[in-house]
PDB file of all heavy atoms in Angstrom:
ATOM      1  N   LEU H 147     259.504  30.139  95.374  1.00  0.00           N
ATOM      2  CA  LEU H 147     260.887  29.784  95.054  1.00  0.00           C
ATOM      3  C   LEU H 147     261.023  29.374  93.579  1.00  0.00           C
ATOM      4  O   LEU H 147     260.062  29.547  92.807  1.00  0.00           O
ATOM      5  CB  LEU H 147     261.416  28.694  95.990  1.00  0.00           C
ATOM      6  CG  LEU H 147     261.212  29.005  97.493  1.00  0.00           C
ATOM      7  CD1 LEU H 147     261.847  27.911  98.357  1.00  0.00           C
ATOM      8  CD2 LEU H 147     261.755  30.373  97.881  1.00  0.00           C
ATOM      9  N   GLY H 148     262.191  28.877  93.183  1.00  0.00           N
ATOM     10  CA  GLY H 148     262.476  28.668  91.767  1.00  0.00           C
ATOM     11  C   GLY H 148     262.614  27.219  91.367  1.00  0.00           C
ATOM     12  O   GLY H 148     261.660  26.597  90.891  1.00  0.00           O
ATOM     13  N   PRO H 149     263.806  26.617  91.548  1.00  0.00           N
ATOM     14  CA  PRO H 149     263.989  25.235  91.131  1.00  0.00           C
ATOM     15  C   PRO H 149     263.031  24.305  91.870  1.00  0.00           C
ATOM     16  O   PRO H 149     262.723  24.533  93.048  1.00  0.00           O
ATOM     17  CB  PRO H 149     265.441  24.941  91.551  1.00  0.00           C
ATOM     18  CG  PRO H 149     266.087  26.275  91.674  1.00  0.00           C
ATOM     19  CD  PRO H 149     265.019  27.221  92.113  1.00  0.00           C
ATOM     20  N   PRO H 150     262.550  23.247  91.201  1.00  0.00           N
ATOM     21  CA  PRO H 150     261.615  22.319  91.852  1.00  0.00           C
ATOM     22  C   PRO H 150     262.123  21.811  93.201  1.00  0.00           C
ATOM     23  O   PRO H 150     261.349  21.685  94.150  1.00  0.00           O
ATOM     24  CB  PRO H 150     261.501  21.173  90.841  1.00  0.00           C
ATOM     25  CG  PRO H 150     261.796  21.805  89.521  1.00  0.00           C
ATOM     26  CD  PRO H 150     262.800  22.883  89.792  1.00  0.00           C
ATOM     27  N   ILE H 151     263.409  21.539  93.294  1.00  0.00           N
ATOM     28  CA  ILE H 151     263.956  20.976  94.520  1.00  0.00           C
ATOM     29  C   ILE H 151     263.785  21.953  95.693  1.00  0.00           C
ATOM     30  O   ILE H 151     263.565  21.546  96.835  1.00  0.00           O
ATOM     31  CB  ILE H 151     265.432  20.559  94.299  1.00  0.00           C
ATOM     32  CG1 ILE H 151     265.886  19.586  95.372  1.00  0.00           C
ATOM     33  CG2 ILE H 151     266.356  21.742  94.176  1.00  0.00           C
ATOM     34  CD1 ILE H 151     267.201  18.895  95.027  1.00  0.00           C
ATOM     35  N   HIS H 152     263.835  23.250  95.395  1.00  0.00           N
ATOM     36  CA  HIS H 152     263.622  24.259  96.434  1.00  0.00           C
ATOM     37  C   HIS H 152     262.137  24.415  96.750  1.00  0.00           C
ATOM     38  O   HIS H 152     261.734  24.462  97.920  1.00  0.00           O
ATOM     39  CB  HIS H 152     264.171  25.615  95.986  1.00  0.00           C
ATOM     40  CG  HIS H 152     265.654  25.639  95.809  1.00  0.00           C
ATOM     41  ND1 HIS H 152     266.317  26.677  95.207  1.00  0.00           N
ATOM     42  CD2 HIS H 152     266.611  24.733  96.150  1.00  0.00           C
ATOM     43  CE1 HIS H 152     267.613  26.438  95.196  1.00  0.00           C
ATOM     44  NE2 HIS H 152     267.813  25.258  95.736  1.00  0.00           N
ATOM     45  N   ALA H 153     261.322  24.520  95.697  1.00  0.00           N
ATOM     46  CA  ALA H 153     259.882  24.743  95.893  1.00  0.00           C
ATOM     47  C   ALA H 153     259.256  23.583  96.664  1.00  0.00           C
ATOM     48  O   ALA H 153     258.445  23.783  97.583  1.00  0.00           O
ATOM     49  CB  ALA H 153     259.203  24.908  94.525  1.00  0.00           C
ATOM     50  N   LYS H 154     259.650  22.355  96.304  1.00  0.00           N
ATOM     51  CA  LYS H 154     259.062  21.181  96.971  1.00  0.00           C
ATOM     52  C   LYS H 154     259.514  21.085  98.416  1.00  0.00           C
ATOM     53  O   LYS H 154     258.728  20.676  99.290  1.00  0.00           O
ATOM     54  CB  LYS H 154     259.444  19.906  96.209  1.00  0.00           C
ATOM     55  CG  LYS H 154     258.752  19.784  94.857  1.00  0.00           C
ATOM     56  CD  LYS H 154     259.201  18.483  94.183  1.00  0.00           C
ATOM     57  CE  LYS H 154     258.568  18.314  92.811  1.00  0.00           C
ATOM     58  NZ  LYS H 154     258.942  17.018  92.221  1.00  0.00           N
ATOM     59  N   ALA H 155     260.754  21.426  98.694  1.00  0.00           N
ATOM     60  CA  ALA H 155     261.240  21.376 100.075  1.00  0.00           C
ATOM     61  C   ALA H 155     260.494  22.390 100.938  1.00  0.00           C
ATOM     62  O   ALA H 155     260.115  22.101 102.082  1.00  0.00           O
ATOM     63  CB  ALA H 155     262.745  21.651 100.115  1.00  0.00           C
ATOM     64  N   PHE H 156     260.279  23.585 100.393  1.00  0.00           N
ATOM     65  CA  PHE H 156     259.531  24.624 101.100  1.00  0.00           C
ATOM     66  C   PHE H 156     258.098  24.168 101.375  1.00  0.00           C
ATOM     67  O   PHE H 156     257.607  24.230 102.510  1.00  0.00           O
ATOM     68  CB  PHE H 156     259.557  25.916 100.267  1.00  0.00           C
ATOM     69  CG  PHE H 156     258.526  26.933 100.643  1.00  0.00           C
ATOM     70  CD1 PHE H 156     258.371  27.339 101.967  1.00  0.00           C
ATOM     71  CD2 PHE H 156     257.699  27.505  99.672  1.00  0.00           C
ATOM     72  CE1 PHE H 156     257.414  28.290 102.317  1.00  0.00           C
ATOM     73  CE2 PHE H 156     256.741  28.447 100.010  1.00  0.00           C
ATOM     74  CZ  PHE H 156     256.596  28.832 101.336  1.00  0.00           C
ATOM     75  N   LYS H 157     257.434  23.671 100.329  1.00  0.00           N
ATOM     76  CA  LYS H 157     256.041  23.243 100.471  1.00  0.00           C
ATOM     77  C   LYS H 157     255.920  22.112 101.500  1.00  0.00           C
ATOM     78  O   LYS H 157     255.047  22.132 102.379  1.00  0.00           O
ATOM     79  CB  LYS H 157     255.516  22.786  99.102  1.00  0.00           C
ATOM     80  CG  LYS H 157     254.051  22.401  99.096  1.00  0.00           C
ATOM     81  CD  LYS H 157     253.629  21.931  97.708  1.00  0.00           C
ATOM     82  CE  LYS H 157     252.202  21.401  97.738  1.00  0.00           C
ATOM     83  NZ  LYS H 157     251.820  20.784  96.450  1.00  0.00           N
ATOM     84  N   SER H 158     256.814  21.149 101.418  1.00  0.00           N
ATOM     85  CA  SER H 158     256.767  20.013 102.350  1.00  0.00           C
ATOM     86  C   SER H 158     257.000  20.452 103.783  1.00  0.00           C
ATOM     87  O   SER H 158     256.307  19.997 104.707  1.00  0.00           O
ATOM     88  CB  SER H 158     257.820  18.969 101.976  1.00  0.00           C
ATOM     89  OG  SER H 158     257.575  18.467 100.698  1.00  0.00           O
ATOM     90  N   ALA H 159     257.981  21.331 103.987  1.00  0.00           N
ATOM     91  CA  ALA H 159     258.278  21.791 105.345  1.00  0.00           C
ATOM     92  C   ALA H 159     257.072  22.511 105.946  1.00  0.00           C
ATOM     93  O   ALA H 159     256.729  22.297 107.114  1.00  0.00           O
ATOM     94  CB  ALA H 159     259.498  22.715 105.325  1.00  0.00           C
ATOM     95  N   ALA H 160     256.422  23.347 105.144  1.00  0.00           N
ATOM     96  CA  ALA H 160     255.261  24.110 105.648  1.00  0.00           C
ATOM     97  C   ALA H 160     254.096  23.187 105.946  1.00  0.00           C
ATOM     98  O   ALA H 160     253.425  23.320 106.983  1.00  0.00           O
ATOM     99  CB  ALA H 160     254.863  25.166 104.613  1.00  0.00           C
ATOM    100  N   GLN H 161     253.838  22.234 105.048  1.00  0.00           N
ATOM    101  CA  GLN H 161     252.700  21.332 105.261  1.00  0.00           C
ATOM    102  C   GLN H 161     252.952  20.407 106.443  1.00  0.00           C
ATOM    103  O   GLN H 161     252.030  20.086 107.200  1.00  0.00           O
ATOM    104  CB  GLN H 161     252.405  20.557 103.971  1.00  0.00           C
ATOM    105  CG  GLN H 161     251.872  21.473 102.874  1.00  0.00           C
ATOM    106  CD  GLN H 161     251.370  20.751 101.630  1.00  0.00           C
ATOM    107  OE1 GLN H 161     250.662  21.366 100.830  1.00  0.00           O
ATOM    108  NE2 GLN H 161     251.721  19.502 101.458  1.00  0.00           N
ATOM    109  N   LEU H 162     254.188  20.002 106.611  1.00  0.00           N
ATOM    110  CA  LEU H 162     254.530  19.141 107.731  1.00  0.00           C
ATOM    111  C   LEU H 162     254.372  19.886 109.067  1.00  0.00           C
ATOM    112  O   LEU H 162     253.838  19.350 110.035  1.00  0.00           O
ATOM    113  CB  LEU H 162     255.971  18.653 107.568  1.00  0.00           C
ATOM    114  CG  LEU H 162     256.508  17.722 108.637  1.00  0.00           C
ATOM    115  CD1 LEU H 162     255.758  16.391 108.628  1.00  0.00           C
ATOM    116  CD2 LEU H 162     258.002  17.479 108.416  1.00  0.00           C
ATOM    117  N   ALA H 163     254.804  21.139 109.080  1.00  0.00           N
ATOM    118  CA  ALA H 163     254.749  21.916 110.330  1.00  0.00           C
ATOM    119  C   ALA H 163     253.323  22.279 110.719  1.00  0.00           C
ATOM    120  O   ALA H 163     253.009  22.374 111.904  1.00  0.00           O
ATOM    121  CB  ALA H 163     255.588  23.188 110.182  1.00  0.00           C
ATOM    122  N   THR H 164     252.457  22.491 109.735  1.00  0.00           N
ATOM    123  CA  THR H 164     251.113  23.010 110.020  1.00  0.00           C
ATOM    124  C   THR H 164     250.019  21.956 109.881  1.00  0.00           C
ATOM    125  O   THR H 164     248.885  22.199 110.286  1.00  0.00           O
ATOM    126  CB  THR H 164     250.763  24.151 109.043  1.00  0.00           C
ATOM    127  OG1 THR H 164     250.801  23.631 107.704  1.00  0.00           O
ATOM    128  CG2 THR H 164     251.760  25.302 109.169  1.00  0.00           C
ATOM    129  N   LYS H 165     250.346  20.830 109.257  1.00  0.00           N
ATOM    130  CA  LYS H 165     249.352  19.790 108.940  1.00  0.00           C
ATOM    131  C   LYS H 165     248.215  20.358 108.086  1.00  0.00           C
ATOM    132  O   LYS H 165     247.057  19.972 108.222  1.00  0.00           O
ATOM    133  CB  LYS H 165     248.774  19.160 110.225  1.00  0.00           C
ATOM    134  CG  LYS H 165     249.827  18.660 111.206  1.00  0.00           C
ATOM    135  CD  LYS H 165     250.484  17.375 110.719  1.00  0.00           C
ATOM    136  CE  LYS H 165     251.415  16.783 111.757  1.00  0.00           C
ATOM    137  NZ  LYS H 165     252.701  17.517 111.859  1.00  0.00           N
ATOM    138  N   GLN H 166     248.538  21.333 107.238  1.00  0.00           N
ATOM    139  CA  GLN H 166     247.552  21.968 106.365  1.00  0.00           C
ATOM    140  C   GLN H 166     248.072  22.003 104.936  1.00  0.00           C
ATOM    141  O   GLN H 166     249.261  21.777 104.691  1.00  0.00           O
ATOM    142  CB  GLN H 166     247.333  23.412 106.831  1.00  0.00           C
ATOM    143  CG  GLN H 166     246.795  23.504 108.224  1.00  0.00           C
ATOM    144  CD  GLN H 166     245.560  24.356 108.260  1.00  0.00           C
ATOM    145  OE1 GLN H 166     244.590  24.086 107.543  1.00  0.00           O
ATOM    146  NE2 GLN H 166     245.585  25.378 109.081  1.00  0.00           N
TER     147      GLN H 166
END
Side-chain angles (χ1 to χ4, degrees):
L147 309 184
I151 198 166
H152 295 169
K154 290 180 181 184
F156 163 51
K157 184 181 174 187
S158 299
Q161 292 188 164
L162 181 65
T164 60
K165 308 286 187 284
Q166 298 233 56

